[in-house]
Amino acid sequence: MAKREKLGFYESVNIINPEDAATLFKSEGTYPERFTVPAWVAYRDFRNKPYGVLLKNGEAWRSDRLVLNKEALSLEATDCFVPLLNEVGEDFVNRVQVQIEKSGRGRWTADLTNELFRFALESVCNVLYGVRLGLLQDIIDPEAQKFIDAVTLMFHTTSPMLYIPPKLLRRINSKTWRDHVQAWDAIFMHADKCIQNIYRELRLNRKTTKEYTGILSSLLVQDKLHIDDIKASVTEMMAGGVDTTSMTLQWAMFELARSPVVQDQLRAEILAARQVAQGDVLKMLKSIRLLKAAIKETLRLHPVAVTLQRCTAQEIILQDYLIPSKTLVQVGIYALGRDPKFFPKPELFDPQRWLKTDSTYFRGLSFGFGPRQCLGRRIAELEMQLFLIHMLENFKIETKRGVDIGTKFDLILIPDKPIHLTLRAL
Ligand code: HEM
Ligand code: 2DC
């Protein structure tokens, strides 16, 4: 059951059983480490860039992460994200409405990949910087589009370097390495520009406004992290905020298009929640359990990360095997999500399965687990909830029947062909 395998030249123990995952995560300790993506470290070492939380370990990771948790995961902070993400969701709807009017047919059919990239970058930047980039307008800043393309290229060029050492590719000056460097250069350059703008503004306007102005301002004002560490982690969050939520939303709309009954249930839940909350969005988010389950269900079938990994901090026993300390263990969350032993009728898109508390133990792991879990989790969840609320209130989502979309590994998991969705005005 637990299987030894090689990931390139990395040996690892592979598991999918939720009980084993529980054992692994319960023993991970204070400084959990995952598999370090070699290409990402190689770039930073090559350019002499500091690591953010994504790549740090030990005490350096923990002290940064504790400060960042307060800004990105605490309830205090996340309540402030809601109005920022809500307005971006509303603007996406407006953009779709314009496209529908242009078509003159009451509907719009398209591959929404780039539209969703723009939405996701607009969203994460509003939370990070408290600034609208205007990416939901017809004409956008070419720098922003470059950033989006750079993140995709960065992921794409990372995967070959899981198997071939980046040092080697660098020595032979291969295209993969060059593209990878170019991609990260573009990412850092643009993020730096955004960060500098806020930094400058903050120095000019010394008056401390009471209004919430985003994660970066908060970090700068607090002065608990060194500016280089702030920059490194904010850059990671900006890059991490593009392909992850956008691809998940695309899959979510695809699944809802194929399950019109579920789609109607969600719409009914949202309408009821809106009425009860009387326009208070924060309140509304507390009564949309099925929508939250639908997002979990989407990530079960379409996780962003194919596996979770931990380097064991101590000896553990999995399925009668003794796993030594410092062993890389991978939880195959893609395989887990599709295994009938753990999810009956796994091919069925059924959000309700998450509302039965007895069958969810260590199964919802899409954002990882514990102190090392996804730092962007709350941003991602709120962004996706608010997006789907507004979309379902305004459009019927449809897709051509019988089109099978598979999954491709491009470091993150993505659709293996374009998904065409139709948005019909309600
Ligand atoms: C880490 C998934 C969106 C930033 C992770 C991990 C997973 C994950 C599985 C590894 C966790 C672990 O090892 O336990 C996802 C999914 C997303 C998403 C499914 C959306 C659907 C985001 C967003 C951001 C972000 C929007 C930025 C705002 C990060 C960072 C880490 C991380 C910085 C590394 C944290 C650390 O090592 O301390 N994510 N993510 N992610 N994610 Fe996300
Ligand atoms: C890729 O074998 C496959 O959230 C490898 O937002 C193991 C592995 C290790 C780390 C994982 C990675 C996989 C997939 C992408 C993840 C990453 C940790 C964080 C990252 C899951 C499964 C991601 C997408 C972050 C990326 C932030 C970055 C752009 C600065």
Side-chain angles (χ1 to χ4, degrees):
M1 187 47 80
K3 196 162 156 227
R4 283 180 89 90
E5 230 174 52
K6 277 190 172 177
L7 197 168
F9 38 83
Y10 313 96
E11 249 193 279
S12 68
V13 171
N14 290 42
I15 59 173
I16 58 165
N17 192 319
E19 296 290 340
D20 292 339
T23 310
L24 177 69
F25 287 119
K26 284 177 180 172
S27 71
E28 66 178 0
T30 325
Y31 307 106
E33 286 184 22
R34 73 170 78 82
F35 171 74
T36 329
V37 176
W40 297 352
V41 172
Y43 169 80
R44 282 155 183 81
D45 293 352
F46 175 60
R47 285 282 193 238
N48 238 321
K49 299 255 187 215
Y51 302 168
V53 272
L54 177 71
L55 298 170
K56 281 188 184 186
N57 280 317
E59 192 45 51
W61 167 77
R62 186 166 163 85
S63 55
D64 283 14
R65 179 73 204 225
L66 288 178
V67 177
L68 291 164
N69 282 350
K70 209 171 152 285
E71 294 310 317
L73 290 176
S74 77
L75 238 135
E76 227 186 323
T78 55
D79 278 356
C80 300
F81 302 162
V82 172
L84 297 170
L85 294 169
N86 190 52
E87 60 181 29
V88 183
E90 285 175 347
D91 286 358
F92 192 87
V93 164
N94 288 336
R95 178 160 174 77
V96 174
Q97 242 132 25
V98 170
Q99 298 298 327
I100 289 178
E101 268 154 42
K102 266 197 216 159
S103 81
R105 291 183 182 145
R107 62 185 146 91
W108 182 38
T109 302
D111 169 3
L112 295 177
T113 307
N114 199 55
E115 299 288 336
L116 291 168
F117 283 161
R118 286 159 65 170
F119 162 79
L121 183 58
E122 183 82 11
S123 294
V124 77
C125 286
N126 206 15
V127 168
L128 288 173
Y129 310 124
V131 166
R132 294 298 303 266
L133 301 181
L135 302 182
L136 301 178
Q137 277 143 26
D138 278 338
I139 297 164
I140 68 165
D141 178 5
E143 295 293 312
Q145 187 62 53
K146 266 194 218 157
F147 183 87
I148 288 170
D149 297 338
V151 177
T152 305
L153 182 65
M154 179 278 290
F155 281 127
H156 179 72
T157 51
T158 301
S159 56
M161 288 189 264
L162 292 174
Y163 312 103
I164 309 166
K167 276 231 172 83
L168 175 67
L169 292 180
R170 185 181 145 187
R171 197 160 62 231
I172 63 171
N173 197 28
S174 84
K175 178 146 169 59
T176 300
W177 171 255
R178 280 182 285 137
D179 285 351
H180 193 67
V181 168
Q182 201 188 51
W184 275 122
D185 281 347
I187 291 169
F188 274 93
M189 195 98 79
H190 192 63
D192 216 61
K193 237 198 239 159
C194 295
I195 294 169
Q196 286 307 331
N197 282 341
I198 302 299
Y199 193 66
R200 210 178 322 113
E201 223 173 85
L202 219 63
R203 299 212 120 173
L204 295 176
N205 299 327
R206 284 272 46 173
K207 55 177 192 294
T208 42
T209 39
K210 284 222 178 68
E211 219 186 316
Y212 181 73
T213 50
I215 291 178
L216 177 61
S217 301
S218 240
L219 289 169
L220 289 170
V221 169
Q222 274 183 61
D223 205 26
K224 279 190 196 145
L225 290 187
H226 189 278
I227 176 73
D228 292 338
D229 294 322
I230 295 179
K231 273 187 174 175
S233 283
V234 167
T235 303
E236 288 174 359
M237 292 179 85
M238 188 173 165
V242 184
D243 298 40
T244 48
T245 51
S246 57
M247 286 302 168
T248 308
L249 285 172
Q250 198 170 31
W251 283 122
M253 289 193 284
F254 179 66
E255 292 295 351
L256 293 176
R258 292 199 302 181
S259 314
V261 176
V262 177
Q263 187 178 151
D264 287 340
Q265 286 172 347
L266 291 181
R267 197 171 285 115
E269 182 188 66
I270 292 165
L271 255 49
R274 167 97 48 208
Q275 281 191 335
V276 170
Q278 305 232 323
D280 181 346
V281 187
L282 214 69
K283 199 168 160 197
M284 203 177 158
L285 292 174
K286 292 187 177 114
S287 45
I288 45 156
R289 6 184 348 248
L290 193 62
L291 182 67
K292 290 174 183 172
I295 293 171
K296 271 195 166 177
E297 183 69 345
T298 302
L299 284 164
R300 172 182 71 83
L301 286 165
H302 312 287
V304 171
V306 63
T307 66
L308 303 176
Q309 328 80 41
R310 284 296 181 267
C311 185
T312 51
Q314 59 185 68
E315 233 175 57
I316 53 169
I317 295 170
L318 301 175
Q319 309 269 330
D320 282 342
Y321 289 93
L322 183 69
I323 315 292
S325 175
K326 299 202 170 65
T327 306
L328 185 67
V329 180
Q330 300 205 66
V331 186
I333 57 170
Y334 179 86
L336 164 64
R338 289 164 184 259
D339 190 322
K341 277 207 290 303
F342 308 116
F343 294 97
K345 295 202 186 151
E347 67 292 345
L348 203 68
F349 182 79
D350 176 20
Q352 299 280 356
R353 68 170 90 229
W354 293 101
L355 304 177
K356 302 165 194 146
T357 43
D358 54 316
S359 56
T360 58
Y361 183 72
F362 273 89
R363 280 165 175 72
L365 293 170
S366 314
F367 289 96
F369 183 85
R372 190 105 215 195
Q373 71 177 276
C374 178
L375 176 62
R377 177 177 191 155
R378 288 280 117 78
I379 300 175
E381 287 174 342
L382 289 169
E383 178 185 319
M384 295 191 293
Q385 288 161 17
L386 288 161
F387 176 94
L388 290 171
I389 284 176
H390 291 299
M391 290 299 280
L392 288 166
E393 280 182 321
N394 287 281
F395 312 110
K396 193 162 186 298
I397 306 165
E398 298 169 347
T399 195
K400 227 165 109 183
R401 274 199 288 161
V403 181
D404 243 328
I405 310 277
T407 302
K408 184 170 86 178
F409 177 79
D410 213 15
L411 197 80
I412 60 169
L413 297 176
I414 59 171
D416 68 352
K417 50 177 108 41
I419 296 179
H420 293 277
L421 294 169
T422 298
L423 303 172
R424 192 184 293 275
L426 276 175

